[in-house]
């Protein structure tokens, strides 16, 4: 909120989900106040992620009354039934005046602040970026905005104030990586694989969904078998049943190779992070699943810095205090019903 309130020229916001709830309305109030001051506000949302607004279009129309320009990505007349259901823009991007950027796992809604009784405490990771990497976040927003609206912002210098500003060069190297079905290669997955294969000491993964393809599974097996400390943390409860039990099956397979698996018990784990050797890390929107690798439009920040990566490593270790370790013995004790759920979900993995 502070960054939004400080905006002087423009606010660009992109979110997979935008809820018409307490948090969503607070965002709109602040955005409307800034638009009234002459700040240009552009919002991009995913039509599938916001499918409930098909029944409540007045929420978006109210924004337009306040001179907020808001558009759907890949608009779909029937978002939960149409043929474009698979192609979801799962990116979360905020850019303010070209100086401040945000990305990570948090959408706009009450549940992402732990205000939803179903999920309770919400554990997520979202990062603030300043410096030249903000320009890369903004370029990605421009490309998605052009795809959705055909409006060309032309990469005008006024949108990139840090490009010739010495203060824009910080002491932390950050690489912004985006991928989607519009690309031939699975760029984010390839970066994950490169980092996993480079590990000498440890690999720490937090993800709500773990349904990777064979290349990622093999890389993790090899790392663990080579003596690398591989640890994966997933939620202890599902928000999507088939996805959860497919996740549970996959981490169960890795237990046989010495991978340590934890289920987060304090609330719902939605963070999407990877930390390798405590020296390089990633934070972003991509889960460790085939949907994020192949079908979704995603974005991550790769942080090449020991101090920042150590912070994420410490957060992971703190989270283990509120987690249950799933040992091979405990996994083998799961009941017949869970085994059936895993088997069915495994068959559906390619389309989850």
């Amino acid at each position: 909120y502070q960054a939004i309130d400080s905006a002087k020229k423009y606010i660009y916001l992109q979110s997979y989900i935008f809820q018409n709830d307490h948090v969503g309305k607070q965002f709109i109030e602040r955005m409307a106040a800034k638009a009234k001051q002459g700040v240009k506000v552009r919002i991009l949302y995913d039509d599938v992620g916001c499918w409930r607004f098909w029944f409540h279009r007045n929420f978006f129309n109210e924004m337009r009354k306040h001179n907020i320009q808001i558009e759907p990505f890949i608009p779909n007349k029937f978002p939960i039934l149409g043929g474009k259901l698979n192609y979801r823009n799962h990116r979360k991007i905020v850019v303010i005046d070209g100086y401040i950027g945000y990305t990570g796992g948090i959408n706009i809604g009450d549940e992402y602040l732990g205000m939803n009784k179903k999920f309770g405490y919400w554990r997520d990771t979202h990062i603030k970026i300043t410096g030249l990497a903000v320009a890369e976040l903004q370029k990605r927003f421009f490309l998605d905005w052009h795809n959705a609206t055909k409006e060309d912002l032309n990469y005008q210098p006024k949108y990139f104030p840090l490009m010739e500003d010495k203060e824009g060069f910080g002491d932390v190297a950050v690489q912004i990586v985006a991928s989607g079905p519009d690309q031939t290669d699975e760029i984010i997955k390839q970066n994950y694989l490169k980092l996993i294969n480079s590990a000498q000491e440890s690999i720490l993964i937090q993800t709500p969904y773990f349904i990777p393809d064979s290349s990622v599974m093999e890389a993790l097996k090899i790392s663990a078998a080579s003596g690398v400390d591989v640890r994966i943390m997933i939620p202890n409860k599902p928000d999507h049943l088939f996805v959860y039990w497919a996740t549970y099956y996959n981490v169960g397979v890795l237990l046989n190779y010495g991978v340590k698996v934890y289920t987060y018990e304090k609330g719902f784990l939605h963070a999407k992070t990877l930390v390798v050797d405590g020296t390089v890390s990633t934070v972003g929107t991509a889960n460790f699943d085939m949907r994020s690798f192949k079908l979704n439009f995603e974005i991550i920040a790769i942080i090449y810095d020991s101090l920042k990566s150590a912070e994420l490593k410490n957060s992971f270790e703190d989270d283990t205090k509120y987690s249950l370790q799933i040992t091979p013995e405990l996994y083998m004790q799961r009941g017949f019903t869970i085994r059936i759920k895993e088997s069915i979900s495994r068959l559906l993995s390619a389309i989850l």
Side-chain angles (χ1 to χ4, degrees):
Y1 290 154
Q2 289 180 348
I4 290 173
D5 293 343
S6 71
K8 294 179 174 58
K9 296 181 180 179
Y10 58 85
I11 300 169
Y12 299 151
L13 185 151
Q14 181 172 348
S15 185
Y16 176 60
I17 294 172
F18 209 123
Q19 299 279 27
N20 182 12
D21 54 20
H22 177 73
V23 170
K25 289 173 181 175
Q26 280 193 332
F27 261 88
I28 295 310
E29 287 175 5
R30 281 176 156 78
M31 296 288 195
K34 299 309 294 187
K36 188 175 181 180
Q37 295 171 15
V39 173
K40 181 63 179 178
V41 180
R42 290 183 172 96
I43 298 176
L44 192 63
Y45 68 93
D46 186 83
D47 225 18
V48 174
C50 296
W51 69 269
R52 291 176 181 85
F53 290 132
W54 188 75
F55 303 99
H56 303 285
R57 291 290 176 181
N58 287 338
F59 182 64
F60 286 163
N61 290 334
E62 187 65 25
M63 296 187 211
R64 295 185 178 100
K65 291 178 182 178
H66 292 287
N67 203 29
I68 296 172
Q69 193 173 356
I70 181 164
E71 302 292 343
F73 187 88
I74 309 183
N76 196 353
K77 188 174 181 180
F78 300 102
I80 61 171
L81 299 173
K84 300 173 184 176
L85 173 66
N86 266 330
Y87 302 115
R88 308 173 189 175
N89 196 318
H90 197 238
R91 295 171 183 145
K92 294 93 176 169
I93 298 172
V94 178
V95 176
I96 296 172
D97 292 344
Y99 285 98
I100 301 173
Y102 295 88
T103 193
I106 298 177
N107 291 293
I108 310 300
D110 286 355
E111 64 195 78
Y112 301 96
L113 292 183
M115 297 166 63
N116 185 307
K117 293 182 180 179
K118 177 182 177 182
F119 296 107
Y121 180 78
W122 191 273
R123 171 65 179 87
D124 220 323
T125 301
H126 213 77
I127 58 171
K128 176 183 178 181
I129 299 173
T130 58
L132 290 175
V134 177
E136 298 304 313
L137 277 178
Q138 187 165 255
K139 287 177 184 177
R140 186 67 263 172
F141 179 90
F142 282 5
L143 289 169
D144 286 355
W145 184 262
H146 180 264
N147 181 283
T149 68
K150 308 309 176 188
E151 180 183 3
D152 192 353
L153 299 178
N154 293 322
Y155 298 99
Q156 299 173 37
K158 66 180 180 180
Y159 294 124
F160 300 93
L162 289 172
M163 299 306 288
E164 297 180 359
D165 184 348
K166 291 182 180 179
E167 294 182 1
F169 295 86
D171 55 1
V172 176
V174 178
Q175 179 185 7
I176 303 299
V177 178
S179 68
D182 56 336
Q183 298 174 331
T184 302
D185 295 320
E186 298 167 24
I187 304 297
I188 288 179
K189 187 190 83 170
Q190 291 173 350
N191 276 274
Y192 281 164
L193 282 171
K194 181 179 179 180
L195 292 173
I196 289 168
N197 291 333
S198 71
Q200 299 294 315
E201 298 176 1
S202 62
I203 299 169
L204 310 179
I205 296 171
Q206 287 184 312
T207 180
Y209 316 130
F210 186 79
I211 314 175
D213 62 14
S214 60
S215 64
V216 175
M217 290 290 283
E218 290 302 310
L220 291 170
K221 290 176 185 178
I222 292 169
S223 292
S226 300
V228 175
D229 177 19
V230 182
R231 289 182 272 171
I232 301 173
M233 188 178 294
I234 62 173
N236 75 329
K237 65 179 80 171
D239 63 338
H240 301 290
L241 287 175
F242 288 119
V243 175
Y244 183 79
W245 293 114
T247 289
Y248 205 71
Y249 170 82
N250 283 309
V251 295
V253 169
L254 293 177
L255 289 172
N256 298 322
Y257 295 84
V259 174
K260 299 181 182 70
V261 176
Y262 302 84
T263 57
Y264 185 72
E265 304 290 320
K266 186 178 179 180
F268 188 77
L269 178 73
H270 194 250
K272 305 133 189 334
T273 64
L274 167 66
V275 185
V276 173
D277 293 342
T279 59
V280 61
S281 54
T282 72
V283 175
T285 67
N287 300 298
F288 268 77
D289 65 1
M290 289 182 281
R291 171 165 294 283
S292 284
F293 296 154
K294 292 177 179 290
L295 297 175
N296 284 355
F297 296 86
E298 304 279 8
I299 193 165
I300 64 170
I302 305 178
I303 305 166
Y304 300 95
D305 183 77
S306 296
L307 290 177
K308 297 300 180 183
S309 297
E311 288 182 22
L312 289 168
K313 181 179 180 180
N314 291 338
S315 292
F316 184 101
E317 291 173 348
D318 286 343
D319 288 337
T320 62
K321 299 174 185 176
Y322 307 101
S323 301
L324 172 68
Q325 183 173 355
I326 306 298
T327 62
E329 295 76 19
L330 184 59
Y331 182 73
M332 290 302 296
Q333 293 174 15
R334 69 199 190 284
F336 177 75
T337 301
I338 292 178
R339 293 171 188 260
I340 292 296
K341 290 178 180 178
E342 286 183 353
S343 297
I344 295 173
S345 300
R346 182 187 175 194
L347 291 174
L348 298 173
S349 290
I351 61 173
L352 292 177

